[in-house]
Amino acid sequence: AYSDGSAHYADAKDGAAKASFTFTGTGVDIYSRTNMETGYVGMKVYKYVDAEGNPTDDPILTQSLLIDNWAESGDYYQIPTASFTADEYGKYKVELTVVSTSDGRSTYYLDGIRVYNPIQDQESDEIVQGAYGEDELNAVFTWTASAFIILFPQSRRQTVQ
């Protein structure tokens, strides 16, 4: 992430670099920089409940995926490169592990996160109402790639270089 003119990033050249955080809500987006030198990041999401749905201090794995942050051309900042949508409101832990690619890309920039619905069941709270507009409460993630695919079938798509 960039702050005050300097960049902070993880590089997996000397082994896996890791970051983790917890959140309470219904989902999270991970924002990062992408370019021709950024590599893979593994994302694991854990939920703080046991098999019966009871709260626990020992979270269980709910999702695991590998994301390639490579961009064919250009340098793009604060791009939502990973998203997790929960089945229900709760406490979750996210672990990010940066790994080198076979072609040597090993850098990862964690620009930020967005937590969805962190204030569920607190919408009537005076502090919450003062901090959020009505159109900001209970946000949902909407995937629009399918609209792009329908509008621009494979035969008409072009790669921008």
Side-chain angles (χ1 to χ4, degrees):
Y2 283 88
S3 176
D4 212 16
S6 65
H8 302 278
Y9 60 91
D11 195 318
K13 286 182 181 174
D14 297 322
K18 295 185 179 194
S20 66
F21 62 91
T22 59
F23 73 92
T24 301
T26 59
V28 66
D29 290 338
I30 310 292
Y31 292 82
S32 65
R33 176 181 174 191
T34 63
N35 60 33
M36 293 177 72
E37 297 173 8
T38 53
Y40 289 112
V41 65
M43 177 176 156
K44 291 184 178 181
V45 181
Y46 300 85
K47 186 170 184 185
Y48 283 91
V49 295
D50 62 19
E52 287 79 40
N54 301 311
T56 180
D57 291 332
D58 189 23
I60 58 171
L61 181 66
T62 61
Q63 184 181 36
S64 180
L65 48 106
L66 185 64
I67 302 127
D68 189 354
N69 284 301
W70 181 77
E72 188 170 321
S73 64
D75 207 3
Y76 305 99
Y77 299 86
Q78 299 178 358
I79 302 298
T81 57
S83 184
F84 166 74
T85 303
D87 290 335
E88 61 186 7
Y89 180 82
K91 182 179 177 184
Y92 297 87
K93 177 181 179 180
V94 176
E95 289 183 349
L96 301 172
T97 304
V98 184
V99 292
S100 295
T101 63
S102 60
D103 60 358
R105 296 180 292 118
S106 61
T107 305
Y108 180 74
Y109 299 83
L110 176 58
D111 283 342
I113 63 169
R114 177 184 181 173
V115 175
Y116 287 91
N117 300 315
I119 55 171
Q120 184 167 321
D121 299 329
Q122 299 176 32
E123 292 89 343
S124 61
D125 183 274
E126 187 176 312
I127 294 172
V128 170
Q129 288 181 346
Y132 293 91
E134 284 202 28
D135 60 338
E136 295 177 310
L137 293 172
N138 300 315
V140 295
F141 176 79
T142 303
W143 185 254
T144 58
S146 59
F148 176 79
I149 292 169
I150 292 168
L151 293 172
F152 299 98
Q154 182 70 34
S155 60
R156 297 193 51 197
R157 282 186 244 159
Q158 297 179 6
T159 303
V160 178
Q161 296 186 12

